[in-house]
Amino acid sequence: MPRPFMATAPRHLSRAFEFNVAVAHSLTQAAVPHLLKAGAEDGTTGAVINISSAVGRVAGRGYLAYGTAKAALAHYTRLAAADLAPKIRVNAIAVGAAATSALDIVLTDDTLRGQMEAVTPLGRIGDPQEIAATVVFLASPASGYMTGKILEVDGGIEQPNLDLGIPDL
């Protein structure tokens, strides 16, 4: 949940880190034996795909806990890729605004949606199918020479495309 700097308690950072990084690590650890076994059987590399966020690389008010955790997940992806290579590839997608339930409030408010689309270089909200297609690419042999990479699927943004209206201190 976005919130101003002074309203972001250490517990908000801890929760965001737990949900975004610790859970990804637990899931990856659980998958490693299965990925290794499958690779040994068919001679392929396994693939781990983390879902990060554009807010992990761009700065905007109100995104302190979430953005910090997503930046940590992106770096976790690079570090895990180094640890698990060459048998398992680890990549991530830094997703921008996509038309999912997480954006219901924006998708149902024409003013908010218009504001987001106006500051997104591609002029629209992303389609979840575009994210899914990127996942399929990263899981496929077509990305077999990629590991430790963060693909930006964000409409071209270089700043958050939703101004939360948080005033100066």
Side-chain angles (χ1 to χ4, degrees):
M1 181 62 113
R3 58 182 44 87
F5 180 88
M6 294 303 290
T8 302
R11 75 177 182 279
H12 298 125
L13 289 161
S14 295
R15 287 180 189 157
F17 190 87
E18 175 69 26
F19 182 76
N20 288 282
V21 182
V23 168
H25 181 64
S26 294
L27 292 170
T28 301
Q29 277 190 321
V32 164
H34 303 284
L35 294 171
L36 290 173
K37 182 179 178 195
E41 291 171 0
D42 65 14
T44 63
T45 58
V48 172
I49 302 142
N50 291 316
I51 303 300
S52 188
S53 170
V55 178
R57 68 172 180 79
V58 301
R61 288 184 178 182
Y63 299 102
L64 184 71
Y66 179 76
T68 300
K70 289 300 190 176
L73 179 60
H75 199 57
Y76 169 86
T77 297
R78 293 180 195 98
L79 295 169
D83 283 346
L84 299 176
K87 295 185 178 184
I88 299 172
R89 298 176 296 107
V90 185
N91 294 292
I93 304 169
V95 178
T100 65
S101 61
L103 280 187
D104 277 347
I105 193 165
V106 170
L107 299 172
T108 58
D109 182 317
D110 290 340
T111 301
L112 284 176
R113 184 181 185 123
Q115 288 172 358
M116 286 187 84
E117 290 174 340
V119 297
T120 302
L122 289 181
R124 64 182 178 82
I125 304 295
D127 184 322
Q129 293 299 318
E130 294 166 315
I131 310 309
T134 308
V135 170
V136 170
F137 166 71
L138 288 174
S140 77
S143 67
Y145 197 55
M146 291 176 64
T147 195
K149 301 303 177 196
I150 316 304
L151 297 186
E152 298 171 5
V153 183
D154 59 13
I157 65 169
E158 292 300 328
Q159 63 186 22
N161 54 358
L162 182 60
D163 182 354
L164 300 175
I166 296 173
D168 292 348
L169 294 177

